[in-house]
Amino acid sequence: MPAPQRMGASANSPLRALIDLAALRANFALFRRAAPRSKILAVVKANAYGHGVLPVVNALTAADGFAVARLEEAIELREAGVVHRIVLLEGVFSAAQLRVARAHRVDLVVHHSSQLDLLDAEPVGDEDLWIKIDTGMNRLGFAPEQVSEVHARLRALPRAPSNVRLMTHFARADDDAAMTVQQRQRFSIAQSLWAQAGGGSPEASLANSAGVLLWPDSHADWVRPGIGLYGASPCASRSAAEFGLAPVMTLQSAVIAVRSVAVGESVGYGATWRAERPSRIAIVAAGYADGVPRHLPSGASVLIDGRRAPLAGRVSMDMIAVDVTDSPHAGVGSPVVLWGHGLPVDEVAAAAGTLAYELLCGVGRRAVFEYLG
Ligand SMILES: *Cc1c(COP(=O)(O)O)cnc(C)c1O
C-alpha cells in the first residue's frame, strides 16, 4: 500500500482528506487519561483506519506499541524504522510468515492450534506471544477450557516462550452490559486455568475503544483503542464529542457545477429525487469511488461553505448532487465537507446504514491526503 502523501497532481484534485494530527494526539491523550495505569497498543490496522499509517504512527510515538492485522502491515512499519512493539492481531498463517515475522521482531497473537503447530515446527524464536481467548465473539481464539492444553503445548516447545500474555476481544462493549460481563467472567476463568496450569499471572489485554471508555474495570495491563483515536465514537448511543473525541479526518471536495432545475424535473440515476420547487443543484466532485457511501439517501447532509445542505438523488461514482436552493452563496468552487470537522463521520455513516469504521477505511485513491499539525 503506497504511503499517502501530498502528490504533485494535487492541484488538479478537488478531493482532499485533511488529517489533523493534533486531534489524533489529543484523542490519544484522552485514552491515556481514561486508562492511566495501562499501556496502550494503538491499533493502526488497515492503513490506520484509512488515515495513512506512517504519519499516524509518527504522530503517536507516545504509544507503548502498535497493533496491526496483517504481516505486510507490520513489515511496512519496521521498514519505515518504527522501533515500537508491534503486535500482529491475526498472527501468522505459515512457516514462511513466521520466519518473516521473527526477522522483523513482531509480537504474535496465537489464536488457533495450527499456529502452535507452526511454532513447534520452527525451532528458534523468542518473540512475545499474545494468547487469544475466545470469550464469546466466536471469531478467533481458544476456549477458556483449552488454556491448560495451550499452556502445556507452549511449555513443550523446543524453546519455551519467555513472554506470554493473555488477551480477548469484546463483541458488544458498546451496547450490551450483560454480554460484556459474561465475556469478562469467561476471561477470568481462562486466567485462573492458566495459573493452575503453572503459567502464573501474565499481563492481560481486553479493551478496545468502547472497553476503555465504558468499562474501566476491563483496562488490565494493555488497552487496544482503535476507532476512538481517529475521533469517531465507539458507541452508537453517544457522540464522539460527548466522549471528548475530536475528528481526525475531514474529507473535503468542491462544487464543480451549479444548475437550475424546474419543478417536476429529476436529478441523477434512477430519477429518485424530484424538484418540488424551482431548485438550485450543486454538483460536487466526490462519489462512491471516493468513499462516499452509495447508500447515503437524499436528504443526508453535507457542508457547503460550512453550512448544511441536503443530498439530492443517488450518489454516483464521481459525483453527488446537493440541493443548494436555500444556500444562495454556494457556487462553483465552494468547499464541501463530506464528513469531519462540523459534520461527524458517525452521523454520515448512520445515514448510510453503516459505521464510521467503514467510511474511514474506504476513502478512495483519488483523494489527496494532507497532514496538518
Ligand atoms: C480492531 C481491533 C481493536 C480496536 O477496536 P476499536 O473498536 O477500533 O477500538 C482492538 N482489538 C482487536 C483485536 C481488534 O481487532
Side-chain angles (χ1 to χ4, degrees):
M1 195 174 295
Q5 53 193 304
R6 273 191 80 144
M7 289 181 291
S10 66
N12 297 322
S13 171
L15 187 74
R16 277 150 209 274
L18 308 178
I19 308 295
D20 182 346
L21 297 173
L24 177 72
R25 282 188 291 263
N27 295 335
F28 178 85
L30 186 147
F31 278 97
R32 212 24 125 204
R33 289 194 301 277
R37 280 173 294 281
S38 307
K39 284 167 274 192
I40 298 183
L41 279 183
V43 181
V44 297
K45 61 194 179 189
N47 197 28
Y49 291 45
H51 291 70
V53 71
L54 295 180
V56 163
V57 161
N58 287 332
L60 292 181
T61 50
D64 301 290
F66 297 105
V68 296
R70 304 278 161 75
L71 184 55
E72 292 69 25
E73 299 178 313
I75 294 170
E76 181 183 1
L77 295 185
R78 282 287 181 251
E79 287 182 345
V82 174
V83 296
H84 286 67
R85 177 186 298 280
I86 298 176
V87 179
L88 189 53
L89 292 172
E90 295 178 2
V92 289
F93 318 123
S94 71
Q97 281 200 347
L98 175 56
R99 288 193 288 271
V100 173
R102 283 175 170 167
H104 289 84
R105 290 166 293 107
V106 175
D107 285 21
L108 300 178
V109 169
V110 177
H111 57 79
H112 196 267
S113 60
S114 60
Q115 294 175 322
L116 294 169
D117 298 342
L118 291 175
L119 291 170
D120 227 359
E122 288 286 316
V124 196
D126 62 352
E127 64 279 348
D128 287 18
L129 300 181
W130 299 65
I131 307 301
K132 184 142 186 189
I133 312 299
D134 178 16
T135 52
M137 180 78 134
N138 278 304
R139 197 172 61 173
L140 299 181
F142 299 99
E145 306 75 51
Q146 287 176 291
V147 299
S148 347
E149 186 191 323
V150 172
H151 181 260
R153 287 204 59 187
L154 291 177
R155 286 283 292 273
L157 290 177
R159 175 169 176 177
S162 46
N163 244 323
V164 177
R165 299 181 179 80
L166 299 180
M167 66 179 287
T168 193
H169 193 48
F170 292 136
R172 304 187 67 177
D174 53 328
D175 72 342
D176 187 272
M179 179 156 188
T180 306
V181 167
Q182 185 182 54
Q183 286 196 267
R184 290 177 51 203
Q185 284 166 349
R186 290 184 182 165
F187 191 71
S188 303
I189 292 170
Q191 287 176 303
S192 312
L193 292 173
W194 186 269
Q196 280 167 34
S201 305
E203 287 189 335
S205 176
L206 302 88
N208 54 3
S209 299
V212 179
L213 298 176
L214 301 172
W215 292 89
D217 292 351
S218 76
H219 290 171
D221 302 286
W222 291 84
V223 294
R224 308 187 308 271
I227 193 72
L229 293 175
Y230 307 101
S233 175
C235 171
S237 60
R238 281 171 71 182
S239 70
E242 283 173 67
F243 286 112
L245 297 166
V248 175
M249 180 194 292
T250 296
L251 188 65
Q252 185 178 297
S253 191
V255 174
I256 58 169
V258 179
R259 65 183 49 258
S260 300
V261 174
V263 174
E265 288 285 305
S266 67
V267 170
Y269 286 117
T272 59
W273 187 91
R274 268 180 206 285
E276 290 172 358
R277 55 177 178 169
S279 300
R280 280 179 85 232
I281 298 294
I283 306 302
V284 177
Y288 60 77
D290 300 308
V292 179
R294 210 189 69 88
H295 293 293
L296 208 58
S298 283
S301 290
V302 301
L303 296 183
I304 296 193
D305 272 331
R307 307 243 295 274
R308 281 175 186 254
L311 195 68
R314 285 195 188 147
V315 173
S316 5
M317 186 183 289
D318 312 305
M319 285 172 264
I320 55 174
V322 181
D323 180 358
V324 293
T325 314
D326 298 325
S327 313
H329 300 295
V332 170
S334 293
V336 179
V337 168
L338 286 317
W339 63 69
H341 277 290
L343 183 60
V345 63
D346 294 304
E347 179 188 327
V348 180
T354 183
L355 297 174
Y357 295 78
E358 191 178 5
L359 266 51
L360 295 172
C361 290
V363 174
R365 298 173 29 154
R366 295 188 294 202
V368 174
F369 280 71
E370 287 184 15
Y371 294 88
L372 318 167

